[in-house]
Amino acid sequence: MFKWLFLIILIIPALEIGILIWSGNIIGPLWVILLIITTGAIGAWLAKKEGLETIRDFQDSLRRGNPPRHTLLDGACILVGGAVLLTPGFITDAIGFLLLFPVTRRPIKKVVMKAIEKGMSNGTITIHRR
């Protein structure tokens, strides 16, 4: 697991720098800077909107007495998506937007849920209940 994380931490920034330089040569550095600022602003707005909606869903689940399983995973996806959108770069922006839009977040949540369930079944993930 740490090997993959280490590789991602090395490869993604290197790719981001390469794409930023390449796009700066094609459309110009000013346009690249404006794109970075625009995607950050749109991402912050979308993260706030989706986050508030998720909080409302969480509160509704609690009012009805239902466990907020999927709502918590939505919140985690929105948090990660908002954070990577604040990082300059086109790859991280794409990942961030995929995590923020509900339509694209659903399949990602399924993959994460399967990984959590697998971890719980083989004992690498433990959930303590009170």
Side-chain angles (χ1 to χ4, degrees):
M1 174 70 180
F2 289 110
K3 285 189 298 188
W4 291 109
L5 189 60
F6 183 70
L7 284 173
I8 288 171
I9 290 172
L10 286 176
I11 292 172
I12 296 292
L15 288 173
E16 290 284 21
I17 291 168
I19 292 171
L20 288 171
I21 291 170
W22 176 75
S23 60
N25 286 333
I26 291 176
I27 63 173
L30 182 61
W31 288 108
V32 171
I33 291 169
L34 287 173
L35 274 172
I36 290 169
I37 292 169
T38 303
T39 57
I42 292 170
W45 172 80
L46 188 59
K48 180 182 176 183
K49 177 185 168 294
E50 291 296 321
L52 290 173
E53 187 175 318
T54 301
I55 289 171
R56 275 191 233 93
D57 290 346
F58 180 80
Q59 291 170 338
D60 288 344
S61 293
L62 292 180
R63 261 189 236 112
R64 289 188 304 256
N66 298 332
R69 284 189 337 205
H70 297 289
T71 310
L72 292 175
L73 195 50
D74 274 327
C77 288
I78 292 165
L79 178 67
V80 171
V84 297
L85 272 166
L86 295 176
T87 306
F90 298 123
I91 297 170
T92 52
D93 286 349
I95 293 168
F97 282 120
L98 287 173
L99 289 169
L100 287 181
F101 289 119
V103 173
T104 54
R105 189 169 56 232
R106 264 184 226 110
I108 294 169
K109 284 183 359 185
K110 286 181 183 178
V111 170
V112 171
M113 282 300 290
K114 283 185 182 180
I116 290 171
E117 289 169 358
K118 182 180 176 186
M120 288 174 63
S121 69
N122 68 19
T124 57
I125 296 176
T126 306
I127 296 178
H128 298 280
R129 298 174 192 224
R130 290 186 179 199

